[in-house]
Each structure stands twice: as C-alpha cells, then as structure tokens.
Amino acid sequence: MTTEQATISQGRKFSGIWIIPLLALAMGLYMVVHTWMTEGPEIEIAFSTADGLEEGKTKVKYRNVNMGLVESVHLNDKFDGVIATVKLDRQALPLLREDTHFWVVTARVGMGNISGLDTLLSGAYIQIAPGTGKKDERSFVALEQPPLTPTGAAGIRLRLVSDSAASITAGDAVLYNQYKVGRVEKMTFDVTDRKAHYTLFIDAPYHKLVDSHTRFWDISGVSLSAGADGFKLQTGSLETVLLGGVAFAVPPNIDKGSP
C-alpha cells in the first residue's frame, strides 16, 4: 500500500483587499501633514466698530497682495467694540509681531489728501503694517486712523510742547526753508500740564538738519505786524496758510549744535 505525503500550503500572507484601505490611510495622512505645513495662522483684531468689515468678504492685504480673509466678526465681552477673526496665509507669519499695526482702508477725503479711492469699487480691506518687535503675536488692536508715516521709515520722530494749542493738526506739513521735509503725526492736549503736545516726523535725509540749537515755530495762517517802518505781512506757503504747519531752523548768528 502506497502512502502519499500531503502538501501543506501557508497561503498568501498579504491580501490585495487591504491595498485600498492602506492607500486611503496614506492619502489621509498626507493631507493632514500637508494642511499642517501650509495652513496659515488665525488671529484676532479688535476694532471700535464693524464699519468696513464683512464676514467672508473683507480681505487683508500687505503691499496690495492678498494675505488673508475675515472669517467672523462679533461683539467683545464689554459690548464696546468688535473682534474680527482673520485667517491669514502662511506667508504672513513673519509679519505678526507685537508692534504690527492693522487698520481698515476706506475712501478718505480730507483737507490735506485723498486716499483709498480704489475701495469704492473693490470694497474696504484691512491693511497690515509689520513691526519689528517680538514674533508670533496673535491678538491685535486696530488703529482708528491710518499711520501718516510708514513703519520703519528712515528719519527722526520728535515731540514738541507748546503753551497754547495752535491751528496745527495731524497731517500738517513740517517745513525747512519753505520745503516740506516731514509731517505732524499727532496732536494732543494734556490736562495735567495744560499744554499742547505734538509728535513730528522728519524724513531722511532731512533729519540731519535738526540739532540741539534748532527751534520750531508755528507758521499757520497770516501774520501782520506794525512798526516804525510800516506794516509787515508774513505768510507761509499756500498749503500752510490753508492747512497749517510747523517750520524749523537754527536762529541767525548761532552756531550749529550737536545732533
């Protein structure tokens, strides 16, 4: 009698039916990693009102390049302002510093300038002005008005104090020999010392004209004086007559001072 040896087969260790689930898992992991690596930050910006802000429509721009979009707008906890939640592109990460400024750009018409006319067609948007402070900030307070001097501009910022408030306001010109070299950025009246405080910015390279002997004076309007030789009428440029302004120089017969 012949005995035959049975052949035992282990079968296939891997079934092709698992290919589709594994591919789906790999694709899911890829999408998660890709989203994590490319997704931009989400920030909150506090505004006094929601004027110009629309959910899903208001864009955020830097140098006229779209950097993000307003996702939602809601009242703050005290009901005295609004909070806009903004989703930014990942390339905006280096711009988010503690002194970065945001403001709403709309059409503005003033005595000194006209700006934002393009928003009449495209709609208002939020402008970014990156700072130089600590990185990775996520919460900001928007400016009420656009800054008159770009962040990081070369020049010098000065503070003037006057016993009386002249007809000088933010945006007025700063002149040297009748030439515009800067602007008045801010004017406030301090109730403590009862004096007017002005913040000026003089652009480079004209900031080198300012030294320790420099004097500043108001050239707004028209000055009329009478003396033994008759009447003297002094006026500034047409711009300063209409809008006001500040002039500076070193007084005659005085040596140049230190920077």
Side-chain angles (χ1 to χ4, degrees):
M1 182 176 183
T2 304
T3 304
E4 295 184 359
Q5 187 69 29
T7 302
I8 301 175
S9 175
Q10 299 292 334
R12 290 182 299 177
K13 296 183 178 180
F14 180 79
S15 175
I17 197 174
W18 291 102
I19 294 179
I20 295 178
L22 289 176
L23 286 176
L25 177 61
M27 182 63 69
L29 290 175
Y30 169 78
M31 293 179 65
V32 170
V33 174
H34 181 268
T35 300
W36 179 79
M37 295 182 63
T38 59
E39 187 177 25
E42 186 176 89
I43 64 173
E44 290 187 343
I45 308 175
F47 294 88
S48 58
T49 70
D51 289 344
L53 303 177
E54 293 187 58
E55 297 181 355
K57 291 185 178 180
T58 303
K59 298 179 180 179
V60 181
K61 296 185 179 183
Y62 175 63
R63 296 186 181 273
N64 211 31
V65 176
N66 292 335
M67 304 295 289
L69 192 68
V70 173
E71 289 190 330
S72 65
V73 181
H74 61 273
L75 290 170
N76 60 21
D77 295 337
K78 296 182 179 180
F79 298 98
D80 59 356
V82 300
I83 303 294
T85 302
V86 177
K87 187 68 174 180
L88 295 174
D89 297 339
R90 191 170 183 82
Q91 61 176 337
L93 272 173
L95 306 178
L96 301 180
R97 299 174 178 267
E98 59 182 357
D99 54 346
T100 293
H101 295 308
F102 295 84
W103 67 91
V104 177
V105 177
T106 58
R108 299 176 186 270
V109 180
M111 290 292 293
N113 56 72
I114 299 175
S115 62
L117 292 182
D118 57 320
T119 60
L120 295 176
L121 298 177
S122 61
Y125 62 89
I126 299 175
Q127 179 70 47
I128 303 178
T132 57
K134 184 180 67 176
K135 295 182 178 180
D136 297 330
E137 189 68 27
R138 293 295 184 272
S139 182
F140 302 89
V141 177
L143 300 177
E144 294 291 337
Q145 298 290 334
L148 297 175
T149 303
T151 303
I156 186 173
R157 184 169 280 108
L158 306 172
R159 185 171 65 92
L160 303 185
V161 180
S162 175
D163 291 331
S164 61
S167 56
I168 300 172
T169 59
D172 288 350
V174 177
L175 305 181
Y176 182 85
N177 287 345
Q178 301 296 320
Y179 186 79
K180 185 176 180 179
V181 297
R183 69 207 59 86
V184 178
E185 292 185 322
K186 186 179 180 181
M187 182 273 179
T188 58
F189 187 83
D190 193 330
V191 296
T192 303
D193 60 12
R194 299 183 181 181
K195 293 183 179 181
H197 295 256
Y198 300 93
T199 302
L200 276 60
F201 189 89
I202 300 176
D203 298 314
Y206 312 113
H207 68 291
K208 298 179 181 178
L209 299 170
V210 181
D211 59 42
S212 58
H213 291 165
T214 298
R215 297 294 181 265
F216 293 80
W217 63 91
D218 172 25
I219 56 170
S220 303
V222 179
S223 174
L224 178 65
S225 61
D229 53 351
F231 291 94
K232 290 184 178 180
L233 179 65
Q234 292 183 333
T235 66
S237 64
L238 179 60
E239 180 181 10
T240 58
V241 170
L242 296 176
L243 306 177
V246 175
F248 70 93
V250 174
N253 303 320
I254 295 182
D255 296 333
K256 181 177 176 60
S258 58

